[in-house]
Structures are given as C-alpha cells and as structure tokens.
Amino acid sequence: CAHQQFKEMSEIMTNVVFVKIDVDENPDTAAKYNVSAMPTFVFIKGGEVIDRLMGANPARLQELIEENAWIGK
C-alpha cells in the first residue's frame, strides 16, 4: 500500500523530508494544501507546492519522489 511504501522510502531516502499529517487533527493544514482525498501526497520545495498525488498509486508515488528528490536544486 502507499502508506507502507511512504514509510519505507522515508527510511531510505535521507535527502527527502517526509511528513505525515492527520487532516482531522490539522484541518487548517489540509485546507492550506487543498487536501480533499486520502491519501494525498504534496511535494513542497522552497515553501512552494511543486507537485501532488491524490489517491493510492505506489508506482506513481515512487516516480514523483524520485523526480522531485533533487540534491542541490
């Protein structure tokens, strides 16, 4: 499942910061990032949203992490 993949990748990819937010406990954060479905993965760099994935799609999640895990960019 995407949740398990997210957890595993967070342990392997040390150049990426992974944060899990409970939208029920953090409704303001969910609203700020327009989270309307679970799971939603939001990719942020320099304070700006650069990509997002809504829904459980482990293959696409891995692709997006690899595409957006720049070092030094």
Side-chain angles (χ1 to χ4, degrees):
C1 77
H3 172 73
Q4 182 62 31
Q5 182 182 21
F6 177 85
K7 182 179 182 295
E8 290 171 2
M9 292 181 88
S10 71
E11 295 169 354
I12 295 169
M13 300 182 81
T14 58
N15 62 321
V16 177
V17 177
F18 293 82
V19 179
K20 181 180 175 184
I21 304 291
D22 183 326
V23 297
D24 294 325
E25 293 180 12
N26 300 283
D28 293 341
T29 303
K32 178 179 178 178
Y33 293 104
N34 300 312
V35 175
S36 60
M38 269 42 88
T40 295
F41 301 91
V42 180
F43 296 80
I44 302 168
K45 182 157 181 87
E48 299 292 324
V49 174
I50 57 171
D51 218 331
R52 69 174 48 245
L53 173 65
M54 293 175 63
N57 184 337
R60 184 64 182 141
L61 175 60
Q62 183 168 348
E63 288 174 9
L64 286 171
I65 291 171
E66 290 171 359
E67 289 172 14
N68 292 301
W70 312 296
I71 298 175
K73 288 189 179 179

